[in-house]
């Protein structure tokens, strides 16, 4: 093996070893998931049904010669890429916008948008020259009613589909879902608007967002095309906050679940540890069981203070009412793991 | 596999075939680290990599009846993980934090637009090759990245890759050639002038992105 290849091999190992520590232990999660096997089977069946919908839609479009495959691309991405997004798609909560802007023969179209107290998801497409492929990113932070959002952005590219030699094949990406998860309430006004009871009239919020586009295959220095500016009004979907302040003890550590916020796309829990386990760098590994039996797994997002962590887990389903269980399986640190579990149960009442 | 390990694995698979989920534990303990690290290099997201591997283990449990017990479990399982990771990576999810406390948020914004090289301050830190390779890997297509991981992380031969991907050896050779060539371009030494020009452009861009 050449020296350069040996460097590459060492670098790959180093990247992997640094990110995934030897202490990794998936067995408790796998055992818990297997114990709920009937739920898993139900979940898998539902996911398969959801995935079939856009493919079936596309086949109809191809056969009928109607050229609106881009919206199918976005639908497909909303369905497949994220459990929370597939929930809101399934519940019919995504708002059509269909706003375009063109710069230098590149057209960005914001097709569909979803907004709740913790999440802004935008389905968009980028079209340019036929042989080009693009990435997209936002310039600055998106704004809600003029207030910048803080959180994390995920951009998911989605392949288009076409028929080649009689087979349906996935081609290069052209559709994207731009997804912003927010960690804190962006303003008192918006917080108030998001906490109204389900079924209340929709509260409209103005979204301002600016995108830049980059040619994927360009090797030259960073030179984005843009800015593509968009301003539109969308309804913000209501959320429910439940105050709990429940404390559980395990492994000599007290963990308190202060409150949960449930939006149509995710559940957020605020967890605080006692002083033994506080400090930065801790990451709780969490499983949530929904009232319908679905199991959701995730890790906490960045801590809100030295002793408290905000955890957002995608996928809340259509009906939030009933008994939920949130289990902290273990607390992980770079160098050590404290195993629980700390289990919390709470009920979301019917309105 | 050593004889003892082979026997343990056979015992575990026999328990799984009888519907005993506890048979999965020794297999998880034996293969989880390699599987998650492999998936991570392809999908570039730890939580997603863990989810993929967790699902792959549960699927192995469900489909153990289709597994030929005269063959080793590892390659059969890793094949499934590689396929899942490739599919997930083709959806091309890339994440970036908007939070200032996450060090270097302006740099992460540039990464969002797939910057072609790590910034000079990153290069000055320890592990500059690792950082450069990590950034460059992110610029490869999911299929090219998977090929690099198969060849250089999993140490698969071109023949094994050909068997795994069910395509001719020539295709594998060409895919690896293309991936290596692109990596070579992305990892080429940056001249001082290029660094200066690019950093200026990115700094200007980052200023506009502050939140």
């Amino acid at each position: 093996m050449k020296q350069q290849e040996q460097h590459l091999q060492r670098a790959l190992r180093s990247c992997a070893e640094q990110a995934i520590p030897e202490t990794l232990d998936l067995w408790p999660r796998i055992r818990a998931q297997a114990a709920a096997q009937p739920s898993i089977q139900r979940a898998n069946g539902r996911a398969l049904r959801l995935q079939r919908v856009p493919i079936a839609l596309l086949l109809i479009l191809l056969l009928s010669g109607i050229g609106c495959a881009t919206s199918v691309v976005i639908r497909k991405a909303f369905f497949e890429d994220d459990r929370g997004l597939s929930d809101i798609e399934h519940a019919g909560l995504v708002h059509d916008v269909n706003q375009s802007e063109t710069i230098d023969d590149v057209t960005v179209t914001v097709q569909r948008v979803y907004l709740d107290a913790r999440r802004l998801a935008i389905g968009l497409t980028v079209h340019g020259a036929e042989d080009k492929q693009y990435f997209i990113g936002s310039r600055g932070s998106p704004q809600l009613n003029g207030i910048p959002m803080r959180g994390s952005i995920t951009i998911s590219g989605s392949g288009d589909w076409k028929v080649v030699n009689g087979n349906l094949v996935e081609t290069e990406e052209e559709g994207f879902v731009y997804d912003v998860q927010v960690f804190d309430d962006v303003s008192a006004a918006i917080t108030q608007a998001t906490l109204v009871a389900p079924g209340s009239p929709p509260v409209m919020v103005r979204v301002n967002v600016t995108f830049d586009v980059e040619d994927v295959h360009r090797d030259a220095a960073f030179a984005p095309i843009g800015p593509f500016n968009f301003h539109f009004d969308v309804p913000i979907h209501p959320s429910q906050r439940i105050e709990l302040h429940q404390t559980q003890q395990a492994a000599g550590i007290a963990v308190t679940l202060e409150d949960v916020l449930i939006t149509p796309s995710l559940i957020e829990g605020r967890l605080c540890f006692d002083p033994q386990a506080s400090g930065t760098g801790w990451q709780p590994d969490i499983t949530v069981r929904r009232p319908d039996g679905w199991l959701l797994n995730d890790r906490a997002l960045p801590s809100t203070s030295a002793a408290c962590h905000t955890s957002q887990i995608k996928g809340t389903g259509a009906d939030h009412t009933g008994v939920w269980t949130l289990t902290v399986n273990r607390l992980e640190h770079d160098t050590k793991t404290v195993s629980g579990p700390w289990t919390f149960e709470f009920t979301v009442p019917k309105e | 596999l050593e004889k003892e390990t082979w026997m343990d694995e056979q015992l575990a698979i026999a328990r799984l075939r009888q519907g005993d989920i506890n048979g999965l534990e020794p297999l998880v303990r034996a293969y989880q680290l390699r599987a998650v690290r492999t998936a991570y290099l392809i999908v570039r997201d730890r939580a997603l990599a863990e989810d993929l591997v967790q699902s792959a283990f549960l699927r192995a449990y469900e489909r153990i009846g289709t597994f030929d017990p005269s063959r080793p479990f590892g390659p059969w399982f890793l094949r499934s993980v590689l396929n899942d990771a490739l599919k997930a990576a083709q959806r091309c999810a890339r994440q970036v934090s908007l939070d200032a406390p996450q060090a270097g948020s302006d740099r992460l914004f540039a990464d969002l637009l797939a910057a072609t090289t790590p910034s000079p301050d990153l290069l000055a830190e320890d592990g500059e090759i690792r950082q450069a390779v990590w950034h460059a890997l992110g610029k490869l297509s999911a299929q090219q990245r998977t090929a690099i991981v198969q060849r250089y992380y999993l140490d698969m031969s071109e023949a094994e890759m050909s068997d795994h991907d069910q395509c001719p050896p020539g295709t594998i050779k060409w895919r690896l050639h293309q991936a290596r060539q692109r990596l070579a371009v992305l990892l080429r030494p940056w001249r001082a002038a290029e660094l200066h020009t690019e950093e200026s452009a990115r700094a200007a861009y980052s200023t506009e992105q502050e939140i």
Side-chain angles (χ1 to χ4, degrees):
Chain A
M1 193 178 280
K2 292 177 191 169
Q3 193 180 17
Q4 280 181 333
E5 291 180 310
Q6 287 173 347
H7 280 309
L8 177 59
Q9 198 170 44
R10 277 202 298 273
L12 286 174
R13 286 186 182 149
S14 173
C15 286
E17 285 163 11
Q18 195 183 53
I20 316 291
E22 297 266 349
T23 53
L24 174 81
D25 184 9
L26 293 182
W27 175 239
R29 279 161 57 177
I30 292 172
R31 187 179 48 201
Q33 195 85 9
Q37 196 66 16
S39 303
I40 294 168
Q41 285 166 356
R42 281 208 308 276
N44 287 343
R46 180 166 172 267
L48 282 172
R49 282 201 300 281
L50 289 172
Q51 285 173 17
R52 282 190 195 117
V53 172
I55 296 172
L57 269 175
L58 179 71
L59 283 172
I60 292 166
L61 291 172
L62 286 169
L63 291 171
S64 60
I66 300 170
C68 56
T70 50
S71 63
V72 176
V73 170
I74 299 303
R75 267 177 218 286
K76 175 174 167 296
F78 264 73
F79 270 122
E80 286 187 359
D81 281 354
D82 181 289
R83 199 186 296 116
L85 293 182
S86 69
D87 281 344
I88 59 166
E89 181 73 82
H90 198 58
L93 301 180
V94 185
H95 182 77
D96 286 329
V97 172
N98 292 319
Q99 203 177 92
S100 294
E101 192 176 346
T102 301
I103 297 173
D104 295 342
D105 296 329
V106 176
T107 300
V108 176
T109 303
V110 169
Q111 295 198 341
R112 316 178 71 220
V113 178
Y114 167 81
L115 178 65
D116 67 30
R118 288 291 182 269
R119 197 157 194 194
L120 167 69
I122 301 176
L124 47 88
T125 53
V126 182
H127 289 288
E130 264 188 26
D131 59 338
K132 299 280 189 182
Q133 194 186 349
Y134 301 97
F135 281 155
I136 191 160
S138 64
R139 178 177 293 203
S141 182
Q143 294 184 351
L144 301 183
N145 286 350
I147 300 159
M149 298 176 78
R150 290 172 56 79
S152 72
I153 295 176
T154 303
I155 297 184
S156 305
S158 171
D160 196 359
W161 299 80
K162 67 177 181 181
V163 175
V164 176
N165 298 328
N167 297 314
L168 193 64
V169 294
E170 194 167 11
T171 64
E172 299 286 3
E173 66 187 60
E174 66 165 20
F176 298 87
V177 172
Y178 172 84
D179 179 20
V180 185
Q181 264 183 266
V182 198
F183 300 140
D184 302 305
D185 295 321
V186 289
S187 79
I190 289 175
T191 303
Q192 197 175 14
T194 61
L195 295 177
V196 296
S200 303
V203 174
M204 300 302 284
V205 173
R206 166 128 297 213
V207 177
N208 298 324
V209 59
T210 301
F211 295 107
D212 280 311
V213 168
E214 191 199 21
D215 179 352
V216 171
H217 298 297
R218 186 186 162 96
D219 286 331
F222 180 66
I225 305 163
F228 296 84
N229 294 305
F230 293 92
H231 316 283
F232 44 84
D233 295 322
V234 292
I236 185 161
H237 291 283
S239 312
Q240 287 172 277
R241 184 187 291 282
I242 299 165
E243 298 287 340
L244 293 166
H245 310 295
Q246 282 183 26
T247 300
Q248 299 292 343
Q249 286 273 352
I253 293 175
V255 176
T256 301
L257 178 60
E258 295 290 358
D259 53 49
V260 294
L261 178 79
I262 304 178
T263 81
S265 69
L266 58 81
I267 176 170
E268 177 183 282
R270 193 159 59 90
L271 291 160
C272 298
F273 314 152
D274 73 2
Q276 292 178 68
S278 66
T280 56
W282 286 92
Q283 200 176 26
D285 179 274
I286 292 166
T287 302
V288 169
R289 181 188 288 274
R290 289 187 340 202
D292 61 359
W294 274 54
L295 288 177
L296 313 167
N297 264 104
D298 218 329
R299 281 165 194 288
L301 287 165
S303 52
T304 52
S305 70
C308 296
H309 294 245
T310 299
S311 170
Q312 292 181 339
I313 299 180
K314 296 168 185 171
T316 48
D319 183 7
H320 300 157
T321 60
V323 178
W324 292 69
T325 307
L326 188 151
T327 303
V328 180
N329 303 305
R330 57 188 185 271
L331 304 174
E332 293 183 341
H333 198 273
D334 286 346
T335 53
K336 54 185 169 183
T337 297
V338 181
S339 295
W342 296 263
T343 301
F344 306 90
E345 197 173 279
F346 56 93
T347 302
V348 177
K350 286 190 186 300
E351 291 301 315
Chain B
L1 286 177
E2 292 189 7
K3 191 177 176 186
E4 194 176 335
T5 310
W6 169 257
M7 291 297 288
D8 288 346
E9 203 168 289
Q10 290 300 301
L11 192 62
I13 289 164
R15 290 173 72 184
L16 281 183
R17 283 173 168 269
Q18 290 165 1
D20 179 2
I21 183 65
N22 292 317
L24 197 57
E25 184 175 0
L27 299 174
V28 170
R29 304 253 182 249
Y31 294 106
Q32 59 181 350
L33 199 58
R34 190 165 171 81
V36 173
R37 286 175 173 173
T38 298
Y40 171 72
L41 288 172
I42 296 171
V43 301
R44 304 166 68 75
D45 179 289
R46 177 178 169 177
L48 177 58
E50 289 183 11
D51 283 350
L52 289 172
V53 172
Q54 181 178 337
S55 299
F57 273 119
L58 285 166
R59 204 167 51 247
Y61 167 52
E62 286 168 356
R63 297 180 185 170
I64 198 69
T66 66
F67 171 65
D68 175 359
S70 66
R71 307 187 71 171
F73 177 81
W76 180 74
F77 176 68
L78 278 175
R79 175 193 296 251
S80 165
V81 171
L82 274 169
N83 288 343
D84 291 349
L86 174 60
K87 278 185 209 161
Q90 280 173 332
R91 291 202 290 273
C92 199
R94 289 170 298 142
Q95 295 196 339
V96 64
S97 171
L98 282 173
D99 257 12
Q102 301 293 299
S105 58
D106 53 345
R107 186 171 70 227
L108 289 169
F109 257 111
D111 292 347
L112 184 66
L113 287 174
T116 54
T117 182
S119 60
D121 57 336
L122 262 183
L123 285 170
E125 292 169 5
D126 287 343
E128 66 180 69
I129 293 176
R130 186 184 66 232
Q131 292 283 2
V133 167
W134 181 250
H135 280 264
L137 276 175
K139 293 286 287 179
L140 299 185
S141 73
Q143 196 168 55
Q144 287 174 335
R145 194 156 63 239
T146 303
I148 290 290
V149 170
Q150 284 175 301
R151 181 73 186 91
Y152 298 109
Y153 181 70
L154 292 176
D155 292 326
M156 290 170 74
S157 67
E158 290 179 5
E160 286 170 326
M161 290 170 67
S162 170
D163 180 48
H164 172 272
D165 295 1
Q166 296 187 324
C167 59
T171 306
I172 297 295
K173 272 189 191 304
W174 175 244
R175 195 178 288 164
L176 274 172
H177 170 74
Q178 281 187 311
R180 280 192 296 251
Q181 200 171 42
R182 181 139 174 76
L183 270 182
V185 169
L186 294 168
L187 293 170
R188 71 191 165 199
W190 289 86
R191 294 189 298 275
E194 280 179 319
L195 276 175
H196 175 75
T197 305
E198 175 158 297
E199 187 55 17
S200 302
R202 291 171 64 186
Y205 183 71
S206 298
T207 305
E208 290 176 46
Q209 291 174 337
E210 279 183 12
I211 56 173

